[in-house]
Amino acid sequence: MGIQDIIEGKKQWRAHMARVKALPRDYQIVYKEIQRYYLKVGPVELVDGTLLSGILDFFEEGVAAGKGVLELVGNDVAAFCDDLVKDSRTYADIYQESISGEPGTADK
């Protein structure tokens, strides 16, 4: 990864976060909780950025439709997050494998 890639990545992240800040406050709170959740136990593929961008698109559509954020994700935000990545390998899987000593043994 070159310096230009790093600079471009930062620009994209800043633009992404500007979109988040444009959301209503309740959407921002839920988005940040989802982001925090995924950074702890989320999918390994999170680094490509499509998951969080997709959630942001989904939230922007919800705002445009006049829906509350909990109408979109439900009352259990963690369950919403888990459902989105149910078929993906997560950092939690890697951790579970590391303590069991056997790759690929984490229950999903």
Side-chain angles (χ1 to χ4, degrees), residues 34-72:
I34 289 171
Q35 182 183 37
R36 200 172 293 123
Y37 183 84
Y38 281 144
L39 291 175
K40 287 182 183 176
V41 296
V44 176
E45 298 87 14
L46 184 64
V47 293
D48 73 5
T50 56
L51 179 64
L52 291 176
S53 292
I55 291 169
L56 184 52
D57 292 341
F58 179 60
F59 278 12
E60 288 171 337
E61 291 170 11
V63 171
K67 294 184 178 181
V69 69
L70 295 181
E71 289 180 73
L72 300 177

Side-chain angles (χ1 to χ4, degrees), residues 10-30:
K10 284 186 176 188
K11 284 181 184 177
Q12 289 175 357
W13 183 250
R14 286 185 186 122
H16 178 87
M17 291 310 295
R19 288 175 57 201
V20 171
K21 290 178 183 176
L23 293 170
R25 183 80 177 126
D26 57 337
Y27 275 84
Q28 288 181 41
I29 292 168
V30 172

